[in-house]
Amino acid sequence: MKKEHVYKFTCNSCGGHSLIVTHVWGTLAGTGSERWQEWGPLDDYHHWQYQFKEKIGKSEDDAVHRGDAGEFAEDDSSSEPEDYEINETETNRENDEYFVNCENCDREVEFGWSHPERRGLIMPVEYSDFNPSECWPDPKYSKAWRRKGWGRTKNAEPAERLSK
Ligand SMILES: [Zn+2]
C-alpha cells in the first residue's frame, strides 16, 4: 500500500503547505491598552495550537503619560486620547481578530469557522476539503462571501440580511 501524504493546502504563490493562525486581542493594563498576538500552525484537521505569544508594539498611552514630568506648562490637551472610547475593550471578545497566513510567504488566506461566532474549527478557503456551504465566514470576509453566495445562512442574524 502506498502511503502518500496529500496536502490539504498548497500555496498558489510559493508552493508552501503550512498555514499559521494568528489571534490578536487587546487588554487594558494599568494606564494604557495593550495589543497582544499569539500564533501557531494549523493542521490538516483544522485544529491549531498557539506556540508563540508577544505584545504588539508599545502602548501609546504609556508614552503620553511618561512625558517630561517637570513641564506642565505646555498645553497639549487637544492631542490627548479620548479615554472614554477605549474603556470597553477589556473582555470584549468581539474585538479579537484572527488571521490565517501561509507560513512560508505570509500571504493571507481567507477562512471560515465550523460554528457561528468564530467557534469551532478553522476552515481555510484554500484547503482541498473546503466547502463554503459548511462554514461561517470570519467577520472580515463576511461581505465578500455574501457576494459570492458562500457561507451558511440558516442561522444568519437579521442584521446580516441583504439590505435589498
Ligand atoms: Zn505561500
Side-chain angles (χ1 to χ4, degrees):
M1 273 215 296
K2 246 187 175 179
K3 232 191 160 188
E4 200 176 314
H5 186 76
V6 179
Y7 292 106
K8 285 266 176 86
F9 168 73
T10 301
C11 179
N12 59 27
S13 171
C14 73
H17 294 294
S18 332
L19 289 173
I20 297 293
V21 177
T22 304
H23 171 213
V24 179
W25 74 101
T27 60
L28 284 181
T31 57
S33 55
E34 291 177 348
R35 297 284 286 170
W36 287 81
Q37 66 178 357
E38 58 188 351
W39 66 97
L42 181 72
D43 70 18
D44 279 354
Y45 306 98
H46 309 270
H47 296 108
W48 67 101
Q49 206 167 23
Y50 299 121
Q51 294 179 343
F52 307 96
K53 179 180 172 181
E54 72 174 16
K55 198 166 144 183
I56 304 172
K58 278 188 175 178
S59 165
E60 287 172 23
D61 284 350
D62 266 3
V64 168
H65 291 302
R66 285 179 193 165
D68 272 344
E71 301 186 33
F72 14 143
E74 246 182 7
D75 179 18
D76 55 4
S77 55
S78 59
S79 63
E80 270 176 25
E82 296 174 43
D83 285 335
Y84 64 90
E85 283 192 331
I86 52 172
N87 272 344
E88 287 173 21
T89 56
E90 194 164 12
T91 54
N92 194 347
R93 196 177 168 270
E94 286 175 22
N95 288 330
D96 289 16
E97 291 181 272
Y98 294 86
F99 301 93
V100 173
N101 295 82
C102 173
E103 182 178 25
N104 192 42
C105 72
D106 207 35
R107 188 173 57 84
E108 183 178 348
V109 173
E110 285 188 21
F111 63 96
W113 297 84
S114 64
H115 292 78
E117 296 180 19
R118 300 188 296 182
R119 285 177 212 285
L121 305 173
I122 283 182
M123 324 287 266
V125 165
E126 295 179 31
Y127 260 26
S128 53
D129 62 356
F130 177 72
N131 182 346
S133 63
E134 277 181 2
C135 55
W136 281 263
D138 191 71
K140 60 180 172 294
Y141 306 125
S142 54
K143 267 189 190 166
W145 284 36
R146 237 176 292 151
R147 276 199 298 273
K148 288 188 269 200
W150 284 12
R152 297 183 69 149
T153 51
K154 211 165 59 180
N155 296 337
E157 299 157 31
E160 291 277 301
R161 281 190 199 136
L162 288 168
S163 52
K164 257 186 205 171

Coordinates of all heavy atoms in Angstrom, one line a residue, residues 40-76:
G40 N 0.3 30.1 15.8 CA 0.8 28.7 15.7 C 0.2 28.0 14.5 O -0.6 28.6 13.8
P41 N 0.7 26.9 14.2 CA 0.4 26.2 12.9 C -1.1 25.6 13.0 O -1.5 25.2 14.0 CB 1.4 25.1 12.8 CG 1.9 24.8 14.2 CD 1.8 26.1 15.0
L42 N -1.7 25.5 11.8 CA -3.0 24.9 11.6 C -2.7 23.5 11.0 O -1.9 23.4 10.0 CB -3.8 25.7 10.7 CG -5.2 25.2 10.4 CD1 -6.1 25.4 11.6 CD2 -5.8 26.0 9.2
D43 N -3.3 22.5 11.6 CA -3.0 21.1 11.0 C -4.1 20.8 10.0 O -5.1 21.5 9.7 CB -2.8 20.1 12.1 CG -4.1 19.8 12.8 OD1 -5.2 20.1 12.3 OD2 -4.0 19.2 13.9
D44 N -3.9 19.6 9.4 CA -4.9 19.1 8.3 C -6.3 18.9 8.8 O -7.2 18.7 8.1 CB -4.3 17.9 7.7 CG -3.2 18.2 6.6 OD1 -3.0 19.4 6.4 OD2 -2.6 17.3 6.1
Y45 N -6.4 18.8 10.1 CA -7.7 18.5 10.7 C -8.4 19.8 11.2 O -9.3 19.7 12.1 CB -7.6 17.4 11.8 CG -6.9 16.2 11.2 CD1 -5.6 16.0 11.5 CD2 -7.6 15.3 10.4 CE1 -4.9 14.9 10.9 CE2 -7.0 14.2 9.9 CZ -5.6 14.0 10.1 OH -5.0 12.9 9.6
H46 N -7.9 20.9 10.8 CA -8.4 22.2 11.2 C -8.2 22.6 12.6 O -8.9 23.5 13.1 CB -9.9 22.3 10.8 CG -10.2 21.8 9.4 ND1 -10.3 22.7 8.4 CD2 -10.5 20.6 8.9 CE1 -10.5 22.0 7.3 NE2 -10.7 20.8 7.5
H47 N -7.4 21.9 13.3 CA -7.0 22.3 14.7 C -5.8 23.1 14.6 O -4.9 22.9 13.8 CB -6.8 21.0 15.6 CG -8.0 20.2 15.8 ND1 -8.1 19.0 15.2 CD2 -9.1 20.4 16.5 CE1 -9.3 18.4 15.5 NE2 -9.9 19.3 16.3
W48 N -5.6 23.9 15.6 CA -4.4 24.7 15.7 C -4.0 24.9 17.1 O -4.8 24.7 18.0 CB -4.6 26.1 15.0 CG -5.5 27.0 15.7 CD1 -5.2 28.0 16.5 CD2 -6.9 27.0 15.7 NE1 -6.3 28.7 17.0 CE2 -7.4 28.0 16.5 CE3 -7.9 26.2 15.0 CZ2 -8.8 28.3 16.7 CZ3 -9.2 26.4 15.2 CH2 -9.7 27.5 16.0
Q49 N -2.7 25.2 17.3 CA -2.2 25.4 18.6 C -1.3 26.6 18.6 O -0.4 26.7 17.8 CB -1.4 24.1 19.0 CG -1.4 23.9 20.5 CD -0.8 22.5 20.8 OE1 -0.2 21.9 20.0 NE2 -1.1 22.0 22.0
Y50 N -1.5 27.5 19.6 CA -0.7 28.7 19.6 C 0.6 28.3 20.3 O 0.7 27.7 21.3 CB -1.4 29.8 20.4 CG -2.7 30.2 19.9 CD1 -3.9 30.2 20.6 CD2 -2.7 30.8 18.6 CE1 -5.1 30.6 20.0 CE2 -3.9 31.2 18.0 CZ -5.1 31.1 18.8 OH -6.3 31.5 18.2
Q51 N 1.7 28.6 19.6 CA 3.0 28.3 20.1 C 3.8 29.5 20.5 O 4.8 29.4 21.2 CB 3.8 27.5 19.0 CG 3.2 26.2 18.7 CD 4.0 25.4 17.7 OE1 4.7 26.0 17.0 NE2 3.7 24.1 17.6
F52 N 3.4 30.7 20.1 CA 4.1 31.9 20.4 C 3.2 33.0 20.8 O 2.0 33.0 20.4 CB 4.9 32.4 19.2 CG 5.8 31.3 18.5 CD1 5.3 30.6 17.5 CD2 7.1 31.1 19.0 CE1 6.1 29.6 16.9 CE2 7.9 30.1 18.5 CZ 7.4 29.4 17.4
K53 N 3.7 33.9 21.6 CA 2.9 35.0 22.1 C 3.7 36.2 22.3 O 4.9 36.1 22.8 CB 2.2 34.5 23.4 CG 1.4 35.6 24.1 CD 0.8 35.1 25.4 CE 0.1 36.1 26.2 NZ -0.5 35.6 27.4
E54 N 3.3 37.3 21.9 CA 4.0 38.6 22.1 C 3.2 39.8 22.1 O 2.0 39.8 21.6 CB 5.1 38.7 21.0 CG 4.5 39.1 19.7 CD 5.6 39.4 18.7 OE1 6.8 39.0 18.9 OE2 5.3 40.0 17.6
K55 N 3.7 40.8 22.8 CA 3.0 42.1 22.8 C 3.3 42.8 21.5 O 4.4 42.8 21.1 CB 3.5 42.9 24.0 CG 2.6 44.0 24.4 CD 3.1 44.4 25.8 CE 3.0 45.9 26.0 NZ 3.5 46.3 27.3
I56 N 2.3 43.5 21.0 CA 2.5 44.2 19.7 C 2.8 45.6 20.0 O 2.1 46.3 20.6 CB 1.2 44.1 18.8 CG1 0.8 42.7 18.6 CG2 1.5 44.9 17.5 CD1 -0.5 42.6 17.9
G57 N 4.0 46.1 19.6 CA 4.4 47.5 19.7 C 4.4 47.9 21.1 O 4.5 47.2 22.1
K58 N 4.3 49.2 21.3 CA 4.3 49.8 22.6 C 2.9 50.5 22.9 O 2.3 51.0 21.9 CB 5.4 50.8 22.8 CG 6.7 50.2 23.1 CD 7.7 51.3 23.4 CE 9.1 50.7 23.8 NZ 10.1 51.7 24.0
S59 N 2.5 50.6 24.1 CA 1.3 51.3 24.4 C 1.5 52.8 24.2 O 2.4 53.4 24.7 CB 0.9 51.0 25.8 OG -0.1 51.9 26.2
E60 N 0.6 53.3 23.3 CA 0.7 54.8 23.1 C 0.4 55.6 24.3 O 0.9 56.7 24.5 CB -0.2 55.2 21.9 CG 0.4 54.7 20.6 CD -0.6 54.9 19.4 OE1 -1.5 55.8 19.6 OE2 -0.5 54.2 18.4
D61 N -0.5 55.1 25.1 CA -0.9 55.8 26.3 C 0.2 55.9 27.2 O 0.4 57.0 27.9 CB -2.1 55.1 27.0 CG -3.4 55.3 26.3 OD1 -3.4 56.1 25.4 OD2 -4.4 54.6 26.6
D62 N 1.0 54.9 27.3 CA 2.2 55.0 28.2 C 3.1 56.1 27.8 O 3.6 56.9 28.6 CB 3.0 53.7 28.1 CG 2.6 52.7 29.2 OD1 1.7 53.0 29.9 OD2 3.2 51.6 29.2
A63 N 3.3 56.3 26.5 CA 4.2 57.3 26.0 C 3.7 58.7 26.4 O 4.4 59.6 26.8 CB 4.3 57.2 24.5
V64 N 2.4 58.8 26.3 CA 1.7 60.1 26.7 C 2.0 60.4 28.1 O 2.4 61.5 28.5 CB 0.2 60.1 26.4 CG1 -0.4 61.3 27.0 CG2 0.0 60.1 24.9
H65 N 1.7 59.5 29.0 CA 1.8 59.7 30.4 C 3.2 59.9 31.0 O 3.4 60.4 32.0 CB 1.0 58.7 31.2 CG -0.4 58.7 30.9 ND1 -1.2 59.9 31.2 CD2 -1.3 57.8 30.4 CE1 -2.4 59.6 30.9 NE2 -2.5 58.4 30.4
R66 N 4.2 59.3 30.2 CA 5.5 59.4 30.8 C 6.4 60.5 30.2 O 7.6 60.4 30.1 CB 6.2 58.0 30.5 CG 5.7 57.0 31.5 CD 6.4 55.7 31.2 NE 5.7 54.6 31.9 CZ 5.9 53.3 31.7 NH1 6.7 53.0 30.7 NH2 5.2 52.4 32.4
G67 N 5.7 61.5 29.6 CA 6.4 62.6 29.1 C 7.2 63.3 30.2 O 7.1 62.9 31.4
D68 N 7.8 64.4 29.9 CA 8.6 65.2 30.8 C 7.7 65.5 32.0 O 6.8 66.3 31.9 CB 9.2 66.4 30.2 CG 10.5 66.2 29.6 OD1 11.1 65.1 29.9 OD2 11.0 67.0 28.8
A69 N 8.0 64.9 33.2 CA 7.2 65.2 34.3 C 7.3 66.6 34.8 O 6.4 67.1 35.5 CB 7.6 64.2 35.5
G70 N 8.4 67.2 34.5 CA 8.7 68.6 35.1 C 7.9 69.7 34.4 O 7.6 70.7 35.0
E71 N 7.5 69.5 33.1 CA 6.9 70.6 32.4 C 5.4 70.3 32.3 O 4.9 69.4 31.6 CB 7.5 70.7 31.0 CG 9.0 70.9 31.0 CD 9.5 71.1 29.6 OE1 8.7 71.7 28.8 OE2 10.6 70.7 29.4
F72 N 4.6 71.2 33.0 CA 3.2 71.1 32.7 C 2.7 72.3 32.1 O 1.5 72.5 32.0 CB 2.3 70.5 33.8 CG 2.9 70.5 35.2 CD1 2.2 70.8 36.3 CD2 4.3 70.2 35.4 CE1 2.7 70.8 37.6 CE2 4.8 70.1 36.7 CZ 4.0 70.4 37.8
A73 N 3.5 73.2 31.8 CA 3.1 74.5 31.2 C 2.5 74.2 29.8 O 1.6 74.9 29.4 CB 4.2 75.5 31.1
E74 N 3.1 73.3 29.1 CA 2.6 73.0 27.7 C 1.2 72.5 27.7 O 0.9 71.6 28.4 CB 3.6 72.0 27.1 CG 4.4 72.6 26.0 CD 5.2 71.5 25.3 OE1 5.1 70.4 25.6 OE2 6.0 71.9 24.4
D75 N 0.4 73.1 26.9 CA -0.9 72.6 26.8 C -1.1 71.8 25.5 O -1.2 72.3 24.4 CB -1.9 73.9 26.7 CG -3.3 73.4 26.6 OD1 -3.6 72.2 26.8 OD2 -4.2 74.2 26.2
D76 N -1.1 70.5 25.7 CA -1.4 69.6 24.6 C -2.6 68.8 24.8 O -2.7 67.7 24.3 CB -0.2 68.7 24.3 CG 0.2 67.9 25.5 OD1 -0.5 68.0 26.5 OD2 1.2 67.2 25.4

